[in-house]
Amino acid sequence: MLNNQIILPTSYFGPIPYYSILVKSDDYVLEKHENFIKQTVRSRCIINSSSGKLNLSIPRIRKNSSKTKIKDIRICYNEPWQKVHLKSITTCYNSSPFFDYYKEKISKIFDVKEKFLIDFSLKSHLLVMDFLKLNQNINYTKVFEKINNSTDYRNYGFCSKEDYKYDQVYFTKNDFIKDLSVLDLIFNLGPESIDYLKKIDDTQIS
């Protein structure tokens, strides 16, 4: 019997290709025992601003050792990053067709100062699942296995080789920008987002 399970890294409002892969799977696990990899979907999302791509990164408390499991990464609150991220999302998408519909729930996710990155990542993931009307079970890895029988997406950058264009807020200024945070898709397409995600060819994602 074939193993159809997939394994994904945790993410902060992950990119569109990430959720394209996820929505087509009935059996996925999120990796919580790998060593943290900076400047990836694990702590960063990319949104669409009037000037083009805007990176939003969750700051972490740095340790002397460079190897810390993702489940043990603590969030740093020396700067008001939650306020900055919420303001950036609001500024970038306030004029999008569906932002008003989702803005209250988006705002609430930044109210609580979670201690660990993985807990905030889960909150962002559950919110996306809510927006997409998905009810899949969420499971985490129990140990780290470099090689396993699941289809492994942990080292993917979640970039699609193909453009699946949709109307974006700054399309006339920036042209179409692909592989943004799934928030960009949701704020622009609303309930149609799930159909868009299902039509993407996952074999073209790397």
Side-chain angles (χ1 to χ4, degrees), residues 25-60:
S25 174
D26 293 324
D27 184 11
Y28 71 89
V29 291
L30 300 176
E31 177 61 76
K32 67 183 289 187
H33 292 278
E34 65 176 353
N35 289 332
F36 174 72
I37 305 173
K38 62 182 181 180
Q39 297 182 357
T40 65
V41 299
R42 293 159 181 81
S43 61
R44 181 183 69 177
C45 71
I46 303 174
I47 61 175
N48 195 0
S49 76
S50 59
S51 302
K53 291 182 179 180
L54 178 62
N55 292 323
L56 300 179
S57 295
I58 300 174
R60 71 190 194 282

PDB file of all heavy atoms in Angstrom, residues 25-60:
ATOM      1  N   SER A  25      -3.773  17.219   0.183  1.00  0.00           N
ATOM      2  CA  SER A  25      -3.381  16.059   0.981  1.00  0.00           C
ATOM      3  C   SER A  25      -4.355  15.823   2.134  1.00  0.00           C
ATOM      4  O   SER A  25      -4.728  16.745   2.839  1.00  0.00           O
ATOM      5  CB  SER A  25      -1.974  16.266   1.551  1.00  0.00           C
ATOM      6  OG  SER A  25      -1.639  15.227   2.439  1.00  0.00           O
ATOM      7  N   ASP A  26      -4.730  14.581   2.298  1.00  0.00           N
ATOM      8  CA  ASP A  26      -5.583  14.206   3.437  1.00  0.00           C
ATOM      9  C   ASP A  26      -4.741  13.753   4.622  1.00  0.00           C
ATOM     10  O   ASP A  26      -5.253  13.478   5.701  1.00  0.00           O
ATOM     11  CB  ASP A  26      -6.528  13.067   3.041  1.00  0.00           C
ATOM     12  CG  ASP A  26      -7.558  13.516   2.016  1.00  0.00           C
ATOM     13  OD1 ASP A  26      -8.004  14.674   2.106  1.00  0.00           O
ATOM     14  OD2 ASP A  26      -7.899  12.714   1.128  1.00  0.00           O
ATOM     15  N   ASP A  27      -3.432  13.666   4.408  1.00  0.00           N
ATOM     16  CA  ASP A  27      -2.551  13.159   5.464  1.00  0.00           C
ATOM     17  C   ASP A  27      -1.222  13.909   5.406  1.00  0.00           C
ATOM     18  O   ASP A  27      -0.343  13.584   4.616  1.00  0.00           O
ATOM     19  CB  ASP A  27      -2.323  11.658   5.270  1.00  0.00           C
ATOM     20  CG  ASP A  27      -1.493  11.044   6.399  1.00  0.00           C
ATOM     21  OD1 ASP A  27      -1.280  11.727   7.423  1.00  0.00           O
ATOM     22  OD2 ASP A  27      -1.058   9.891   6.237  1.00  0.00           O
ATOM     23  N   TYR A  28      -1.095  14.942   6.215  1.00  0.00           N
ATOM     24  CA  TYR A  28       0.155  15.683   6.250  1.00  0.00           C
ATOM     25  C   TYR A  28       0.619  15.858   7.687  1.00  0.00           C
ATOM     26  O   TYR A  28      -0.178  15.883   8.621  1.00  0.00           O
ATOM     27  CB  TYR A  28       0.029  17.047   5.564  1.00  0.00           C
ATOM     28  CG  TYR A  28      -0.805  18.068   6.304  1.00  0.00           C
ATOM     29  CD1 TYR A  28      -0.223  18.930   7.254  1.00  0.00           C
ATOM     30  CD2 TYR A  28      -2.165  18.204   6.057  1.00  0.00           C
ATOM     31  CE1 TYR A  28      -0.979  19.868   7.930  1.00  0.00           C
ATOM     32  CE2 TYR A  28      -2.927  19.144   6.731  1.00  0.00           C
ATOM     33  CZ  TYR A  28      -2.331  19.980   7.655  1.00  0.00           C
ATOM     34  OH  TYR A  28      -3.083  20.906   8.338  1.00  0.00           O
ATOM     35  N   VAL A  29       1.934  15.971   7.845  1.00  0.00           N
ATOM     36  CA  VAL A  29       2.516  16.234   9.156  1.00  0.00           C
ATOM     37  C   VAL A  29       3.431  17.449   9.036  1.00  0.00           C
ATOM     38  O   VAL A  29       4.054  17.675   7.997  1.00  0.00           O
ATOM     39  CB  VAL A  29       3.306  15.031   9.713  1.00  0.00           C
ATOM     40  CG1 VAL A  29       2.382  13.900  10.065  1.00  0.00           C
ATOM     41  CG2 VAL A  29       4.388  14.584   8.741  1.00  0.00           C
ATOM     42  N   LEU A  30       3.508  18.215  10.111  1.00  0.00           N
ATOM     43  CA  LEU A  30       4.373  19.376  10.169  1.00  0.00           C
ATOM     44  C   LEU A  30       5.621  19.031  10.983  1.00  0.00           C
ATOM     45  O   LEU A  30       5.520  18.423  12.045  1.00  0.00           O
ATOM     46  CB  LEU A  30       3.636  20.559  10.803  1.00  0.00           C
ATOM     47  CG  LEU A  30       2.362  21.026  10.079  1.00  0.00           C
ATOM     48  CD1 LEU A  30       1.679  22.141  10.866  1.00  0.00           C
ATOM     49  CD2 LEU A  30       2.673  21.484   8.665  1.00  0.00           C
ATOM     50  N   GLU A  31       6.767  19.418  10.466  1.00  0.00           N
ATOM     51  CA  GLU A  31       8.033  19.092  11.110  1.00  0.00           C
ATOM     52  C   GLU A  31       8.324  20.041  12.267  1.00  0.00           C
ATOM     53  O   GLU A  31       8.415  21.246  12.079  1.00  0.00           O
ATOM     54  CB  GLU A  31       9.172  19.177  10.078  1.00  0.00           C
ATOM     55  CG  GLU A  31      10.551  18.935  10.654  1.00  0.00           C
ATOM     56  CD  GLU A  31      10.707  17.564  11.274  1.00  0.00           C
ATOM     57  OE1 GLU A  31      10.841  16.581  10.507  1.00  0.00           O
ATOM     58  OE2 GLU A  31      10.691  17.474  12.527  1.00  0.00           O
ATOM     59  N   LYS A  32       8.453  19.482  13.474  1.00  0.00           N
ATOM     60  CA  LYS A  32       8.745  20.319  14.643  1.00  0.00           C
ATOM     61  C   LYS A  32      10.077  19.976  15.310  1.00  0.00           C
ATOM     62  O   LYS A  32      10.461  20.607  16.288  1.00  0.00           O
ATOM     63  CB  LYS A  32       7.609  20.234  15.664  1.00  0.00           C
ATOM     64  CG  LYS A  32       7.455  18.876  16.330  1.00  0.00           C
ATOM     65  CD  LYS A  32       6.260  18.848  17.279  1.00  0.00           C
ATOM     66  CE  LYS A  32       6.489  19.655  18.526  1.00  0.00           C
ATOM     67  NZ  LYS A  32       5.377  19.486  19.515  1.00  0.00           N
ATOM     68  N   HIS A  33      10.774  18.974  14.795  1.00  0.00           N
ATOM     69  CA  HIS A  33      12.017  18.535  15.432  1.00  0.00           C
ATOM     70  C   HIS A  33      13.268  18.837  14.606  1.00  0.00           C
ATOM     71  O   HIS A  33      14.372  18.532  15.044  1.00  0.00           O
ATOM     72  CB  HIS A  33      11.950  17.036  15.745  1.00  0.00           C
ATOM     73  CG  HIS A  33      10.960  16.691  16.805  1.00  0.00           C
ATOM     74  ND1 HIS A  33      11.229  16.810  18.150  1.00  0.00           N
ATOM     75  CD2 HIS A  33       9.674  16.270  16.717  1.00  0.00           C
ATOM     76  CE1 HIS A  33      10.155  16.459  18.850  1.00  0.00           C
ATOM     77  NE2 HIS A  33       9.204  16.126  18.011  1.00  0.00           N
ATOM     78  N   GLU A  34      13.103  19.428  13.441  1.00  0.00           N
ATOM     79  CA  GLU A  34      14.271  19.809  12.653  1.00  0.00           C
ATOM     80  C   GLU A  34      14.942  21.030  13.274  1.00  0.00           C
ATOM     81  O   GLU A  34      14.324  21.771  14.045  1.00  0.00           O
ATOM     82  CB  GLU A  34      13.854  20.146  11.225  1.00  0.00           C
ATOM     83  CG  GLU A  34      12.965  21.381  11.142  1.00  0.00           C
ATOM     84  CD  GLU A  34      12.615  21.780   9.719  1.00  0.00           C
ATOM     85  OE1 GLU A  34      13.159  21.185   8.780  1.00  0.00           O
ATOM     86  OE2 GLU A  34      11.799  22.709   9.559  1.00  0.00           O
ATOM     87  N   ASN A  35      16.202  21.254  12.923  1.00  0.00           N
ATOM     88  CA  ASN A  35      16.883  22.475  13.340  1.00  0.00           C
ATOM     89  C   ASN A  35      16.294  23.659  12.567  1.00  0.00           C
ATOM     90  O   ASN A  35      15.996  23.555  11.379  1.00  0.00           O
ATOM     91  CB  ASN A  35      18.388  22.393  13.088  1.00  0.00           C
ATOM     92  CG  ASN A  35      19.073  21.422  14.032  1.00  0.00           C
ATOM     93  OD1 ASN A  35      18.618  21.189  15.144  1.00  0.00           O
ATOM     94  ND2 ASN A  35      20.180  20.846  13.585  1.00  0.00           N
ATOM     95  N   PHE A  36      16.130  24.769  13.252  1.00  0.00           N
ATOM     96  CA  PHE A  36      15.561  25.965  12.642  1.00  0.00           C
ATOM     97  C   PHE A  36      16.426  26.449  11.475  1.00  0.00           C
ATOM     98  O   PHE A  36      17.658  26.463  11.561  1.00  0.00           O
ATOM     99  CB  PHE A  36      15.461  27.080  13.685  1.00  0.00           C
ATOM    100  CG  PHE A  36      15.017  28.396  13.117  1.00  0.00           C
ATOM    101  CD1 PHE A  36      13.714  28.584  12.715  1.00  0.00           C
ATOM    102  CD2 PHE A  36      15.914  29.454  12.995  1.00  0.00           C
ATOM    103  CE1 PHE A  36      13.298  29.805  12.202  1.00  0.00           C
ATOM    104  CE2 PHE A  36      15.521  30.663  12.482  1.00  0.00           C
ATOM    105  CZ  PHE A  36      14.209  30.849  12.089  1.00  0.00           C
ATOM    106  N   ILE A  37      15.777  26.815  10.380  1.00  0.00           N
ATOM    107  CA  ILE A  37      16.464  27.364   9.205  1.00  0.00           C
ATOM    108  C   ILE A  37      15.954  28.785   8.999  1.00  0.00           C
ATOM    109  O   ILE A  37      14.768  28.988   8.746  1.00  0.00           O
ATOM    110  CB  ILE A  37      16.212  26.517   7.947  1.00  0.00           C
ATOM    111  CG1 ILE A  37      16.605  25.057   8.196  1.00  0.00           C
ATOM    112  CG2 ILE A  37      16.988  27.080   6.763  1.00  0.00           C
ATOM    113  CD1 ILE A  37      16.226  24.123   7.067  1.00  0.00           C
ATOM    114  N   LYS A  38      16.843  29.761   9.112  1.00  0.00           N
ATOM    115  CA  LYS A  38      16.419  31.159   9.016  1.00  0.00           C
ATOM    116  C   LYS A  38      16.125  31.564   7.579  1.00  0.00           C
ATOM    117  O   LYS A  38      16.525  30.897   6.632  1.00  0.00           O
ATOM    118  CB  LYS A  38      17.481  32.082   9.614  1.00  0.00           C
ATOM    119  CG  LYS A  38      18.822  32.048   8.911  1.00  0.00           C
ATOM    120  CD  LYS A  38      19.821  32.963   9.623  1.00  0.00           C
ATOM    121  CE  LYS A  38      21.175  32.957   8.918  1.00  0.00           C
ATOM    122  NZ  LYS A  38      22.141  33.847   9.597  1.00  0.00           N
ATOM    123  N   GLN A  39      15.399  32.669   7.451  1.00  0.00           N
ATOM    124  CA  GLN A  39      15.025  33.242   6.162  1.00  0.00           C
ATOM    125  C   GLN A  39      14.278  32.251   5.276  1.00  0.00           C
ATOM    126  O   GLN A  39      14.525  32.155   4.068  1.00  0.00           O
ATOM    127  CB  GLN A  39      16.269  33.783   5.438  1.00  0.00           C
ATOM    128  CG  GLN A  39      16.944  34.920   6.186  1.00  0.00           C
ATOM    129  CD  GLN A  39      18.148  35.489   5.461  1.00  0.00           C
ATOM    130  OE1 GLN A  39      18.538  35.017   4.405  1.00  0.00           O
ATOM    131  NE2 GLN A  39      18.756  36.516   6.039  1.00  0.00           N
ATOM    132  N   THR A  40      13.381  31.494   5.899  1.00  0.00           N
ATOM    133  CA  THR A  40      12.533  30.565   5.155  1.00  0.00           C
ATOM    134  C   THR A  40      11.087  30.761   5.606  1.00  0.00           C
ATOM    135  O   THR A  40      10.790  31.611   6.451  1.00  0.00           O
ATOM    136  CB  THR A  40      12.943  29.099   5.416  1.00  0.00           C
ATOM    137  OG1 THR A  40      12.709  28.785   6.805  1.00  0.00           O
ATOM    138  CG2 THR A  40      14.414  28.868   5.091  1.00  0.00           C
ATOM    139  N   VAL A  41      10.202  29.950   5.067  1.00  0.00           N
ATOM    140  CA  VAL A  41       8.782  30.045   5.415  1.00  0.00           C
ATOM    141  C   VAL A  41       8.523  29.812   6.895  1.00  0.00           C
ATOM    142  O   VAL A  41       7.457  30.162   7.402  1.00  0.00           O
ATOM    143  CB  VAL A  41       7.940  29.042   4.596  1.00  0.00           C
ATOM    144  CG1 VAL A  41       8.046  29.335   3.108  1.00  0.00           C
ATOM    145  CG2 VAL A  41       8.349  27.598   4.889  1.00  0.00           C
ATOM    146  N   ARG A  42       9.501  29.253   7.587  1.00  0.00           N
ATOM    147  CA  ARG A  42       9.323  28.924   9.003  1.00  0.00           C
ATOM    148  C   ARG A  42       9.109  30.175   9.865  1.00  0.00           C
ATOM    149  O   ARG A  42       8.475  30.099  10.915  1.00  0.00           O
ATOM    150  CB  ARG A  42      10.529  28.132   9.504  1.00  0.00           C
ATOM    151  CG  ARG A  42      10.647  26.748   8.865  1.00  0.00           C
ATOM    152  CD  ARG A  42      12.061  26.215   8.958  1.00  0.00           C
ATOM    153  NE  ARG A  42      12.206  24.900   8.334  1.00  0.00           N
ATOM    154  CZ  ARG A  42      12.353  24.691   7.022  1.00  0.00           C
ATOM    155  NH1 ARG A  42      12.366  25.732   6.204  1.00  0.00           N
ATOM    156  NH2 ARG A  42      12.487  23.472   6.549  1.00  0.00           N
ATOM    157  N   SER A  43       9.655  31.287   9.447  1.00  0.00           N
ATOM    158  CA  SER A  43       9.507  32.509  10.251  1.00  0.00           C
ATOM    159  C   SER A  43       9.262  33.752   9.402  1.00  0.00           C
ATOM    160  O   SER A  43       9.261  34.858   9.919  1.00  0.00           O
ATOM    161  CB  SER A  43      10.762  32.743  11.105  1.00  0.00           C
ATOM    162  OG  SER A  43      11.908  32.909  10.278  1.00  0.00           O
ATOM    163  N   ARG A  44       9.046  33.561   8.106  1.00  0.00           N
ATOM    164  CA  ARG A  44       8.920  34.720   7.222  1.00  0.00           C
ATOM    165  C   ARG A  44       7.798  34.516   6.216  1.00  0.00           C
ATOM    166  O   ARG A  44       7.615  33.429   5.679  1.00  0.00           O
ATOM    167  CB  ARG A  44      10.236  34.936   6.465  1.00  0.00           C
ATOM    168  CG  ARG A  44      10.217  36.143   5.541  1.00  0.00           C
ATOM    169  CD  ARG A  44      11.522  36.264   4.779  1.00  0.00           C
ATOM    170  NE  ARG A  44      11.687  35.201   3.798  1.00  0.00           N
ATOM    171  CZ  ARG A  44      12.719  35.117   2.955  1.00  0.00           C
ATOM    172  NH1 ARG A  44      13.689  36.007   3.021  1.00  0.00           N
ATOM    173  NH2 ARG A  44      12.788  34.134   2.093  1.00  0.00           N
ATOM    174  N   CYS A  45       7.046  35.575   5.972  1.00  0.00           N
ATOM    175  CA  CYS A  45       6.084  35.566   4.878  1.00  0.00           C
ATOM    176  C   CYS A  45       6.336  36.785   3.999  1.00  0.00           C
ATOM    177  O   CYS A  45       6.915  37.785   4.436  1.00  0.00           O
ATOM    178  CB  CYS A  45       4.636  35.534   5.383  1.00  0.00           C
ATOM    179  SG  CYS A  45       4.058  37.065   6.140  1.00  0.00           S
ATOM    180  N   ILE A  46       5.912  36.691   2.759  1.00  0.00           N
ATOM    181  CA  ILE A  46       6.131  37.773   1.798  1.00  0.00           C
ATOM    182  C   ILE A  46       4.773  38.261   1.301  1.00  0.00           C
ATOM    183  O   ILE A  46       3.974  37.483   0.776  1.00  0.00           O
ATOM    184  CB  ILE A  46       6.989  37.299   0.612  1.00  0.00           C
ATOM    185  CG1 ILE A  46       8.325  36.738   1.110  1.00  0.00           C
ATOM    186  CG2 ILE A  46       7.236  38.453  -0.361  1.00  0.00           C
ATOM    187  CD1 ILE A  46       9.180  36.120   0.018  1.00  0.00           C
ATOM    188  N   ILE A  47       4.524  39.546   1.480  1.00  0.00           N
ATOM    189  CA  ILE A  47       3.271  40.137   1.032  1.00  0.00           C
ATOM    190  C   ILE A  47       3.544  41.132  -0.088  1.00  0.00           C
ATOM    191  O   ILE A  47       4.687  41.443  -0.412  1.00  0.00           O
ATOM    192  CB  ILE A  47       2.499  40.796   2.198  1.00  0.00           C
ATOM    193  CG1 ILE A  47       3.319  41.935   2.827  1.00  0.00           C
ATOM    194  CG2 ILE A  47       2.142  39.732   3.251  1.00  0.00           C
ATOM    195  CD1 ILE A  47       2.547  42.701   3.910  1.00  0.00           C
ATOM    196  N   ASN A  48       2.469  41.648  -0.663  1.00  0.00           N
ATOM    197  CA  ASN A  48       2.547  42.537  -1.813  1.00  0.00           C
ATOM    198  C   ASN A  48       2.287  43.972  -1.381  1.00  0.00           C
ATOM    199  O   ASN A  48       1.208  44.300  -0.903  1.00  0.00           O
ATOM    200  CB  ASN A  48       1.500  42.104  -2.849  1.00  0.00           C
ATOM    201  CG  ASN A  48       1.742  42.712  -4.209  1.00  0.00           C
ATOM    202  OD1 ASN A  48       2.698  43.461  -4.408  1.00  0.00           O
ATOM    203  ND2 ASN A  48       0.876  42.390  -5.156  1.00  0.00           N
ATOM    204  N   SER A  49       3.299  44.833  -1.538  1.00  0.00           N
ATOM    205  CA  SER A  49       3.137  46.243  -1.181  1.00  0.00           C
ATOM    206  C   SER A  49       3.139  47.093  -2.445  1.00  0.00           C
ATOM    207  O   SER A  49       3.394  46.597  -3.547  1.00  0.00           O
ATOM    208  CB  SER A  49       4.274  46.691  -0.259  1.00  0.00           C
ATOM    209  OG  SER A  49       5.470  46.880  -0.991  1.00  0.00           O
ATOM    210  N   SER A  50       2.891  48.372  -2.299  1.00  0.00           N
ATOM    211  CA  SER A  50       2.888  49.276  -3.450  1.00  0.00           C
ATOM    212  C   SER A  50       4.269  49.360  -4.097  1.00  0.00           C
ATOM    213  O   SER A  50       4.395  49.743  -5.255  1.00  0.00           O
ATOM    214  CB  SER A  50       2.429  50.674  -3.027  1.00  0.00           C
ATOM    215  OG  SER A  50       3.285  51.199  -2.021  1.00  0.00           O
ATOM    216  N   SER A  51       5.303  48.963  -3.340  1.00  0.00           N
ATOM    217  CA  SER A  51       6.677  48.998  -3.859  1.00  0.00           C
ATOM    218  C   SER A  51       7.168  47.620  -4.293  1.00  0.00           C
ATOM    219  O   SER A  51       8.338  47.449  -4.633  1.00  0.00           O
ATOM    220  CB  SER A  51       7.626  49.564  -2.794  1.00  0.00           C
ATOM    221  OG  SER A  51       7.240  50.863  -2.399  1.00  0.00           O
ATOM    222  N   GLY A  52       6.301  46.634  -4.245  1.00  0.00           N
ATOM    223  CA  GLY A  52       6.689  45.267  -4.599  1.00  0.00           C
ATOM    224  C   GLY A  52       6.686  44.348  -3.392  1.00  0.00           C
ATOM    225  O   GLY A  52       5.949  44.581  -2.426  1.00  0.00           O
ATOM    226  N   LYS A  53       7.503  43.318  -3.418  1.00  0.00           N
ATOM    227  CA  LYS A  53       7.532  42.335  -2.336  1.00  0.00           C
ATOM    228  C   LYS A  53       7.964  42.971  -1.018  1.00  0.00           C
ATOM    229  O   LYS A  53       8.893  43.774  -0.983  1.00  0.00           O
ATOM    230  CB  LYS A  53       8.496  41.192  -2.666  1.00  0.00           C
ATOM    231  CG  LYS A  53       8.036  40.287  -3.794  1.00  0.00           C
ATOM    232  CD  LYS A  53       9.040  39.168  -3.999  1.00  0.00           C
ATOM    233  CE  LYS A  53       8.595  38.212  -5.103  1.00  0.00           C
ATOM    234  NZ  LYS A  53       9.574  37.116  -5.303  1.00  0.00           N
ATOM    235  N   LEU A  54       7.279  42.577   0.051  1.00  0.00           N
ATOM    236  CA  LEU A  54       7.628  43.042   1.393  1.00  0.00           C
ATOM    237  C   LEU A  54       7.777  41.836   2.304  1.00  0.00           C
ATOM    238  O   LEU A  54       6.837  41.057   2.481  1.00  0.00           O
ATOM    239  CB  LEU A  54       6.551  43.985   1.934  1.00  0.00           C
ATOM    240  CG  LEU A  54       6.756  44.510   3.364  1.00  0.00           C
ATOM    241  CD1 LEU A  54       8.043  45.330   3.461  1.00  0.00           C
ATOM    242  CD2 LEU A  54       5.554  45.350   3.803  1.00  0.00           C
ATOM    243  N   ASN A  55       8.966  41.646   2.872  1.00  0.00           N
ATOM    244  CA  ASN A  55       9.229  40.528   3.778  1.00  0.00           C
ATOM    245  C   ASN A  55       8.824  40.872   5.205  1.00  0.00           C
ATOM    246  O   ASN A  55       9.220  41.915   5.724  1.00  0.00           O
ATOM    247  CB  ASN A  55      10.721  40.174   3.773  1.00  0.00           C
ATOM    248  CG  ASN A  55      11.176  39.584   2.456  1.00  0.00           C
ATOM    249  OD1 ASN A  55      10.454  38.836   1.820  1.00  0.00           O
ATOM    250  ND2 ASN A  55      12.380  39.925   2.034  1.00  0.00           N
ATOM    251  N   LEU A  56       8.062  39.994   5.812  1.00  0.00           N
ATOM    252  CA  LEU A  56       7.707  40.130   7.221  1.00  0.00           C
ATOM    253  C   LEU A  56       8.326  38.949   7.967  1.00  0.00           C
ATOM    254  O   LEU A  56       7.944  37.798   7.736  1.00  0.00           O
ATOM    255  CB  LEU A  56       6.187  40.124   7.408  1.00  0.00           C
ATOM    256  CG  LEU A  56       5.395  41.226   6.703  1.00  0.00           C
ATOM    257  CD1 LEU A  56       3.903  41.055   6.971  1.00  0.00           C
ATOM    258  CD2 LEU A  56       5.868  42.611   7.140  1.00  0.00           C
ATOM    259  N   SER A  57       9.276  39.227   8.843  1.00  0.00           N
ATOM    260  CA  SER A  57       9.971  38.168   9.566  1.00  0.00           C
ATOM    261  C   SER A  57       9.725  38.266  11.060  1.00  0.00           C
ATOM    262  O   SER A  57       9.770  39.362  11.631  1.00  0.00           O
ATOM    263  CB  SER A  57      11.481  38.247   9.295  1.00  0.00           C
ATOM    264  OG  SER A  57      11.765  37.988   7.939  1.00  0.00           O
ATOM    265  N   ILE A  58       9.476  37.134  11.671  1.00  0.00           N
ATOM    266  CA  ILE A  58       9.281  37.075  13.122  1.00  0.00           C
ATOM    267  C   ILE A  58      10.656  36.985  13.775  1.00  0.00           C
ATOM    268  O   ILE A  58      11.408  36.037  13.515  1.00  0.00           O
ATOM    269  CB  ILE A  58       8.435  35.854  13.521  1.00  0.00           C
ATOM    270  CG1 ILE A  58       7.051  35.932  12.863  1.00  0.00           C
ATOM    271  CG2 ILE A  58       8.294  35.781  15.047  1.00  0.00           C
ATOM    272  CD1 ILE A  58       6.198  34.698  13.099  1.00  0.00           C
ATOM    273  N   PRO A  59      11.021  37.946  14.617  1.00  0.00           N
ATOM    274  CA  PRO A  59      12.344  37.904  15.259  1.00  0.00           C
ATOM    275  C   PRO A  59      12.408  36.814  16.317  1.00  0.00           C
ATOM    276  O   PRO A  59      11.419  36.527  16.991  1.00  0.00           O
ATOM    277  CB  PRO A  59      12.485  39.294  15.881  1.00  0.00           C
ATOM    278  CG  PRO A  59      11.072  39.743  16.113  1.00  0.00           C
ATOM    279  CD  PRO A  59      10.251  39.152  15.007  1.00  0.00           C
ATOM    280  N   ARG A  60      13.568  36.228  16.468  1.00  0.00           N
ATOM    281  CA  ARG A  60      13.731  35.160  17.449  1.00  0.00           C
ATOM    282  C   ARG A  60      14.837  35.524  18.434  1.00  0.00           C
ATOM    283  O   ARG A  60      15.709  36.336  18.138  1.00  0.00           O
ATOM    284  CB  ARG A  60      14.061  33.837  16.761  1.00  0.00           C
ATOM    285  CG  ARG A  60      15.453  33.769  16.172  1.00  0.00           C
ATOM    286  CD  ARG A  60      15.640  32.535  15.300  1.00  0.00           C
ATOM    287  NE  ARG A  60      17.036  32.271  14.996  1.00  0.00           N
ATOM    288  CZ  ARG A  60      17.754  32.907  14.096  1.00  0.00           C
ATOM    289  NH1 ARG A  60      17.204  33.880  13.391  1.00  0.00           N
ATOM    290  NH2 ARG A  60      19.016  32.592  13.881  1.00  0.00           N
TER     291      ARG A  60
END
